[in-house]
Amino acid sequence: MNKENFFHDKMCQWFIDLYHNNDEAKQVFNNKKVLRLYDLITKEDTLKQFIPFIHENSREPFPGFYIQNMEVVEWNEGQGMDWHRDYPYYNGTSIIFLNDDFEGGELVTATDYSEAFSSTRKIHKPKKGSIVSFKDVVWHKVNPVIKGKRYTLAIWYKRF
């Protein structure tokens, strides 16, 4: 599923501000700082209101799934991620682009990452507020950020 305007600008900015205002809660994963949202749920009332909205609207392509984890991720210049699948840890993934004022950082999905299947690759150019969702069998990568900072809300799902 690809959908533009999943989040409006104010929601995107709220998540970026939440990331910047919670340095003590950030963790490092794959050389990137991430803010796991379930770590903040007891102290952020607004987050408690966002989660049902995100749950109901982001898992459209995943009936019978529930949200296992959500993180705001900051991607600095030079940072990307090589080809991988989220299987067996998660059964589905959604990426919400919180900004688009940077260069590079495209999300690339494919049924197989080999050159033989390069025709299956789809490049998702970041557009603020848009969402891209895919199942665990889909290979994906993030091209390196060339200029600026890329912020995403990553959501991972498991089956009930």
Side-chain angles (χ1 to χ4, degrees):
M1 172 183 88
N2 300 333
K3 184 188 267 186
E4 291 187 11
N5 302 315
F6 180 75
F7 274 7
H8 58 71
D9 288 353
K10 287 183 181 181
M11 288 174 74
C12 291
Q13 189 59 52
W14 186 87
F15 279 99
I16 292 171
D17 291 344
L18 181 70
Y19 176 86
H20 286 293
N21 293 330
N22 284 281
D23 284 334
E24 73 287 348
K26 291 176 191 169
Q27 300 177 26
V28 176
F29 180 75
N30 284 339
N31 295 320
K32 289 174 282 309
K33 286 187 178 179
V34 302
L35 181 64
R36 292 200 167 114
L37 297 186
Y38 285 129
D39 293 345
L40 300 177
I41 200 153
T42 58
K43 71 175 199 170
E44 280 292 337
D45 288 335
T46 306
L47 183 57
K48 289 178 197 173
Q49 296 169 7
F50 274 136
I51 286 179
F53 168 83
I54 293 168
H55 180 75
E56 286 306 311
N57 295 288
S58 71
R59 66 188 186 101
E60 179 181 312
F62 311 122
F65 284 30
Y66 66 94
I67 296 174
Q68 172 96 29
N69 190 15
M70 293 190 300
E71 298 175 349
V72 177
V73 184
E74 178 185 70
W75 303 72
N76 294 303
E77 290 180 14
Q79 291 183 321
M81 187 173 277
D82 204 3
W83 287 109
H84 66 285
R85 294 186 304 172
D86 295 334
Y87 173 85
Y89 307 105
Y90 302 107
N91 300 119
T93 303
S94 291
I95 304 297
I96 301 171
F97 297 105
L98 299 177
N99 69 324
D100 55 16
D101 56 346
F102 58 92
E103 293 178 26
E106 299 88 1
L107 172 67
V108 184
T109 56
T111 56
D112 188 301
Y113 67 92
S114 68
E115 285 304 315
F117 288 86
S118 62
S119 64
T120 69
R121 291 180 188 168
K122 183 169 182 183
I123 299 172
H124 307 271
K125 183 159 175 45
K127 184 168 187 294
K128 185 178 186 178
S130 66
I131 185 171
V132 177
S133 299
F134 46 89
K135 291 199 173 169
D136 58 355
V137 295
V138 173
W139 289 90
H140 54 287
K141 72 174 187 166
V142 176
N143 289 335
V145 174
I146 297 168
K147 184 178 181 183
K149 290 181 184 272
R150 174 189 194 256
Y151 293 94
T152 56
L153 175 59
I155 305 169
W156 293 279
Y157 309 88
K158 291 292 267 185
R159 285 185 181 91
F160 280 111

